[in-house]
């Protein structure tokens, strides 16, 4: 199988982020692979292991610096990586990203499976996987906690199918589709593996090709959603009142009275 | 302005945020509810009782199980022929997927997780959290229809007028599908984390009661999980006494104490209860990312230096195995249950 893992680069989740003069200030936070997309790479690598002869390509739209996120995917074990980078892509919204990713996936050609993370930490809308599936006309298997590719059918000349266990609010739903398919994964897929020593060495030497919009043969998508203002969240009262007492019962009694008086029940 | 509201439901059980969306829509003008599924008359009637002026129903056995592609195509067809200006959705796993696809069909996009929506004449400005709620942005969409998913509990739930009626019109379901649903294992989730006014959550601390003696024959890991289940039983009893939902930290989920669907935080659910009670949870930044919109946090933790106390209004430094059941008893007495 030819598998693609879509990843984005974002500021680390420990970063202190503030709105200053209408700009986003991420301080000195390092840029890292979007944590959800580490699961995407992990899910893709698991499928490479499940079906022999498979390859995993990491794909990212971003500035030149996003090569570092792709190198993380390579260090985890991806076979190769592609960066789509173009000055015209600075204000992409999710439909725009989906159209560009779909064009890149088509340019790679012969792709069986594209794995996405659940959402990005920065924009955090969780739309891109479904939109890429729609743009490609492929099926979407969203929020997969488990992926199982049917390896038997191929010998019979049937189309290869894939089943996933979706993790939804109400529990789990098992869904099946033929390949090619777009899959988004959640944390239950398994902890992302650590980059190996060999992997890190390979990644540091990797030449990552950069594709521009003209390489993809498309124009820059118009941004449909535009930001008019940035705001810091309202400050919250952070003083804590510690409830103490002689016994658990006494503490519980005091705390219950406080909470009833606060009208939060 | 022509406003549609999509009523999300799972097997006929509507998500409360759907009604919040109806309430918001009604403050802007006449509102049509959209209900998709199979045999969904009751959901359509409830939409009228919660304020919809009329309802469009796509009722077809092929829509019994949610599939993003059939729901998206059905929505796209309705939106193309009836040209609403605005379609509101509750934010759920389903709406994120099919609204996303429909936006591609309709050459528009979706604004997710709205916490405020202002309408000025023709312009709609939406406030939403970004960077895990560390910032908020105001955004507008330049294309029609505007598709907006609302964060749960960000808008008031309207009163229900029992017996209110209105026109229910059948519309065509689009049933071409690429995926097949093979089955469900529906968890007994009780109150959903999205809708809950009170959430009681357990962390790694729920397994930490050395005095509990597990049944013979369990290895260390099984004994830990057995202890954790005793801890989560106490957490669950407090939650149900308060009519609330049960949440968990990732350490509790990774430990195998409770399913992933209960996880709160960056890689779990973002919740907005009035009251969040964290039991045996240290308060890692990724956990706090899920509870920024909680109105009040209460922490019960053995360690006085646990970071969770920095975001809590009230704290108890102590053993959850003593405090949590005592709290359940106290509330039972005081709330007359
Ligand atoms: C990319 C990424 C994403 C993540 N996403 C999430 C997420 O979505 N949600 C999440 O929760 N975490 C997430 N984490 C993990 C997070 O960093 C923490 O590891 C996790 O939240 C810790 O869970 P905990 O507080 O239950 O456990 P611990 O940090 O081990 O804390 C246990 C607490 O219980 C207390 N305790 C122990 N025994 C008792 C007792 N008997 N009575 C009272 N208190 C007791 C201890 O004092 C301690 O404070 C993520 C991490 C990463 C790297
Ligand atoms: N710039 C990008 N390059 C590659 N993949 C992306 C990009 N943006 C988003 N994705 C993928 O789409 C998923 C959902 O992103 P979002 O819809 O922005 O929350 C992410 O987890 C990634 O897998």
């Amino acid at each position: 199988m030819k598998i693609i893992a879509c990843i984005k680069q974002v500021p680390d989740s420990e970063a202190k982020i503030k709105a200053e003069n209408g700009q986003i200030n991420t301080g000195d936070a390092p840029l890292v692979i979007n944590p959800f997309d580490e699961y995407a790479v992990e899910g893709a690598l698991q499928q490479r292991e499940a079906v022999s002869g498979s390859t995993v390509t990491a794909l990212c739209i971003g500035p030149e610096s996003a090569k570092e996120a792709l190198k993380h995917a390579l260090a985890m074990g991806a076979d190769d990586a592609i960066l789509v980078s173009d000055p015209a892509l600075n204000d992409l919204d999710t439909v725009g990203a989906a159209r560009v990713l779909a064009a890149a996936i088509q340019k790679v050609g012969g792709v069986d499976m594209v794995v996405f993370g659940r959402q990005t930490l920065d924009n955090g809308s969780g739309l891109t996987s479904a939109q890429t599936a729609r743009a490609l006309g492929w099926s979407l298997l969203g929020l997969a906690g488990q992926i199982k590719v049917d390896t038997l059918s191929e010998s019979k000349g049937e189309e290869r199918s894939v089943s996933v266990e979706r993790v939804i609010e109400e529990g789990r739903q098992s869904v099946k589709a033929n390949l090619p398919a777009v899959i988004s994964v959640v944390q239950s897929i398994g902890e992302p593996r650590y980059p190996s020593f060999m992997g890190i060495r390979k990644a540091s030497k990797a030449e990552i090709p950069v594709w521009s919009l003209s390489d993809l043969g498309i124009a820059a998508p118009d941004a449909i959603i535009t930001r008019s203002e940035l705001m810091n969240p309202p400050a919250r009262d952070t003083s804590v009142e510690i409830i103490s007492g002689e016994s658990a019962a006494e503490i519980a009694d005091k705390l219950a009275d406080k909470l009833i008086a606060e009208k939060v029940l | 302005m022509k406003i549609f509201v999509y009523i999300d439901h799972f097997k006929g059980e509507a998500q409360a945020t759907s009604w919040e969306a109806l309430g918001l829509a009604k403050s802007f003008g006449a509102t049509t509810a959209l209900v998709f599924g199979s045999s969904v008359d009751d959901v359509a009637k409830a939409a009228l009782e919660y304020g919809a002026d009329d309802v469009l129903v796509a009722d077809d056995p092929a829509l019994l199980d949610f599939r993003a592609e059939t729901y998206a195509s059905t929505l796209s067809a309705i939106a193309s022929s009836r040209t609403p200006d605005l379609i509101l959705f509750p934010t759920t796993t389903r709406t994120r997927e099919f609204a996303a696809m429909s936006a591609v069909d309709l050459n528009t996009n979706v604004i997710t997780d709205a916490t405020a929506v202002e309408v000025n004449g023709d312009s709609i400005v939406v406030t939403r959290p970004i960077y895990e709620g560390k910032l908020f942005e105001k955004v507008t969409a330049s294309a029609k229809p505007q598709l907006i998913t609302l964060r749960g509990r960000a808008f008031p739930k309207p009163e229900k007028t029992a017996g209110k009626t209105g026109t229910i019109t059948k519309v065509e379901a689009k049933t071409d599908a690429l995926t097949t649903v093979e089955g469900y294992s529906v968890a007994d989730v009780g109150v959903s984390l999205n809708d809950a006014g009170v959430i009681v959550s357990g962390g790694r601390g729920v397994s930490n009661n050395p005095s509990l003696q597990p049944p013979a024959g369990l290895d260390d890991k099984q004994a830990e999980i057995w202890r954790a289940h005793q801890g989560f039983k106490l957490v669950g009893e407090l939650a149900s006494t308060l009519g609330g939902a049960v949440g968990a930290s990732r350490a509790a989920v990774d430990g195998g104490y409770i399913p992933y669907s209960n996880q709160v935080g960056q890689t779990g659910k973002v919740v907005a209860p009035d009251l969040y009670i964290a039991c045996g949870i240290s308060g890692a930044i990724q956990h706090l990312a899920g509870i920024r919109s909680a109105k009040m946090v209460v922490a019960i933790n053995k360690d006085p230096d646990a970071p969770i106390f920095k975001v809590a209004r009230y704290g108890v430094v102590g053993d959850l195995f003593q405090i949590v059941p005592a709290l359940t008893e106290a509330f039972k007495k005081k709330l007359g249950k």
Side-chain angles (χ1 to χ4, degrees):
Chain A
M1 282 193 303
K2 211 176 207 180
I3 307 168
I4 289 187
C6 290
I7 67 163
K8 191 179 181 190
Q9 189 183 44
V10 298
D12 187 77
S13 83
E14 308 265 344
K16 292 213 160 51
I17 294 177
K18 288 209 165 60
E20 271 174 20
N21 309 319
Q23 301 291 316
I24 297 171
N25 182 340
T26 58
D28 48 11
L31 293 170
V32 297
I33 178 172
N34 181 38
F36 296 99
D37 300 347
E38 282 186 77
Y39 293 102
V41 176
E42 174 61 32
L45 292 171
Q46 288 173 7
Q47 293 316 304
R48 182 182 69 187
E49 282 148 18
V51 180
S52 66
S54 300
T55 58
V56 172
T57 301
L59 172 62
C60 174
I61 310 170
E64 189 72 20
S65 62
K67 279 187 177 168
E68 289 308 312
L70 287 168
K71 284 186 179 170
H72 184 88
L74 290 170
M76 284 175 71
D79 299 280
D80 48 19
I82 299 164
L83 178 68
V84 177
S85 198
D86 198 301
L89 296 178
N90 286 342
D91 296 314
L92 274 188
D93 60 25
T94 57
V95 167
R99 296 205 195 280
V100 174
L101 289 172
I105 291 160
Q106 259 145 2
K107 182 173 159 72
V108 170
V111 173
D112 300 288
M113 183 188 285
V114 185
V115 189
F116 282 78
R118 192 184 78 177
Q119 71 190 85
T120 47
L121 270 195
D122 48 0
N123 169 57
S125 63
L127 300 170
T128 310
S129 52
Q131 292 176 330
T132 306
R134 197 68 163 185
L136 289 164
W138 295 5
S139 46
L140 169 74
L141 300 168
L143 305 174
Q146 235 177 66
I147 307 172
K148 201 175 166 307
V149 172
D150 179 3
T151 44
L152 297 173
S153 62
E154 206 181 25
S155 54
K156 295 186 233 145
E158 291 167 352
E159 279 182 275
R160 203 197 279 269
S161 63
V162 56
S163 309
V164 307
E165 286 272 314
R166 273 161 66 72
V167 182
I168 57 173
E169 281 98 345
E170 296 81 7
R172 286 179 169 241
Q173 184 190 33
S174 48
V175 187
K176 190 171 183 170
N178 285 338
L179 296 179
V182 169
I183 300 177
S184 77
V185 299
V186 295
Q187 177 192 309
S188 321
I189 203 81
E191 272 312 283
R193 58 198 72 189
Y194 286 108
S196 66
F197 178 66
M198 289 292 287
I200 295 169
R201 272 192 38 188
K202 197 186 91 196
S204 68
K205 286 193 232 131
E207 287 289 332
I208 297 177
V210 180
W211 292 354
S212 67
L213 282 176
S214 63
D215 292 324
L216 295 178
I218 57 169
D222 290 330
I224 293 159
I225 294 175
T226 49
R227 176 184 293 151
S228 57
E229 200 183 324
L230 262 183
M231 294 153 295
N232 289 305
R236 73 189 286 161
D237 178 8
T238 50
S239 58
V240 56
E241 183 180 334
I242 298 291
I243 311 287
S244 46
E246 293 296 314
S247 65
E250 185 190 332
I251 294 171
D253 197 67
K254 285 190 197 166
L255 179 57
D257 282 339
K258 297 261 185 202
L259 294 177
I260 290 168
E262 292 272 8
K263 302 211 182 326
V264 285
L265 293 173
Chain B
M1 189 159 24
K2 202 183 214 179
I3 309 158
F4 287 3
V5 174
Y6 176 78
I7 310 298
D8 188 56
H9 65 97
F10 181 73
K11 297 186 184 290
E13 214 41 69
Q15 295 264 352
T17 314
S18 303
W19 311 136
E20 294 159 17
L22 266 183
L24 177 70
K26 287 288 288 177
S27 71
F28 302 145
T31 300
T32 300
L34 305 177
V35 179
F36 299 175
S38 178
S39 309
V40 286
D41 286 356
D42 288 348
V43 181
K45 284 187 192 133
L48 291 167
E49 293 184 330
Y50 277 107
D53 296 294
D54 59 344
V55 189
L56 298 177
V57 178
D59 198 324
D60 192 297
L63 297 185
L64 176 64
D65 288 320
F66 169 79
R67 281 172 301 176
E69 65 273 24
T70 54
Y71 276 54
S73 299
T74 302
L75 180 69
S76 299
I78 293 172
S80 303
S81 63
R82 296 176 187 255
T83 62
D85 302 290
L86 174 61
I87 310 179
L88 298 178
F89 308 75
T91 307
T92 67
T93 54
R94 290 174 285 274
T95 61
R96 251 189 231 276
E97 290 182 349
F98 86 91
M101 287 187 171
S102 209
V104 172
D105 300 349
L106 300 168
N107 267 312
T108 180
N109 206 345
V110 188
I111 299 173
T112 58
D113 298 296
T115 57
V117 180
E118 302 153 54
V119 174
N120 289 314
D122 234 15
S123 101
I124 301 174
V125 182
V126 180
T127 305
R128 66 185 295 270
I130 52 174
Y131 292 91
E132 305 170 84
K134 291 174 188 166
L135 293 180
F136 284 81
E137 63 176 3
K138 284 192 175 179
V139 292
T140 47
S142 59
K144 288 242 165 110
Q146 303 231 9
L147 309 182
I148 302 172
T149 79
L150 307 185
R151 171 163 280 191
R153 300 178 53 77
F155 302 89
K157 185 173 163 187
E159 292 294 327
K160 182 172 174 173
T161 313
K164 179 181 162 295
T165 54
T167 318
I168 299 178
T169 309
K170 290 235 169 184
V171 295
E172 191 194 348
K174 299 282 176 191
T175 58
D176 281 351
L178 295 163
T179 56
T180 344
V181 174
E182 307 213 291
Y184 292 93
S185 58
V186 177
D188 180 17
V189 281
V191 182
S192 133
L193 285 172
N194 289 335
D195 302 339
V198 176
I199 296 175
V200 187
S201 277
R204 200 195 306 272
V206 297
S207 65
N208 184 23
N209 186 349
S211 66
L212 279 176
Q213 199 45 55
L218 299 188
D219 64 24
D220 283 357
K221 180 69 201 171
Q222 289 165 330
E224 176 192 333
I225 293 181
W226 181 86
R227 285 201 176 87
H229 285 165
Q230 313 311 307
F232 263 115
K233 217 160 97 194
L234 302 178
V235 166
E237 281 161 6
L238 178 55
S240 66
T241 302
L242 299 175
V246 175
S249 75
R250 171 153 168 193
V253 172
D254 287 350
Y257 308 167
I258 191 163
Y260 170 58
S261 39
N262 293 77
Q263 183 177 315
V264 171
Q266 184 201 97
T267 41
K269 291 220 169 70
V270 173
V271 295
D274 294 326
L275 176 62
Y276 187 86
I277 305 181
C279 311
I281 292 178
S282 63
I285 187 158
Q286 295 90 353
H287 188 78
L288 302 185
I291 60 172
R292 282 206 181 86
S293 304
K295 288 215 182 77
M296 182 180 288
V297 175
V298 170
I300 299 168
N301 196 303
K302 267 170 118 159
D303 174 7
D305 298 321
I308 188 77
F309 288 118
K310 294 213 177 76
V311 299
R313 177 69 190 89
Y314 297 104
V316 177
V317 179
D319 184 352
L320 73 91
F321 282 88
Q322 292 176 13
I323 303 296
V324 173
L327 203 51
T328 305
E329 281 316 308
F331 278 121
K332 274 191 179 151
K333 242 187 340 218
K334 290 175 201 286
L335 301 174
K337 292 193 181 166

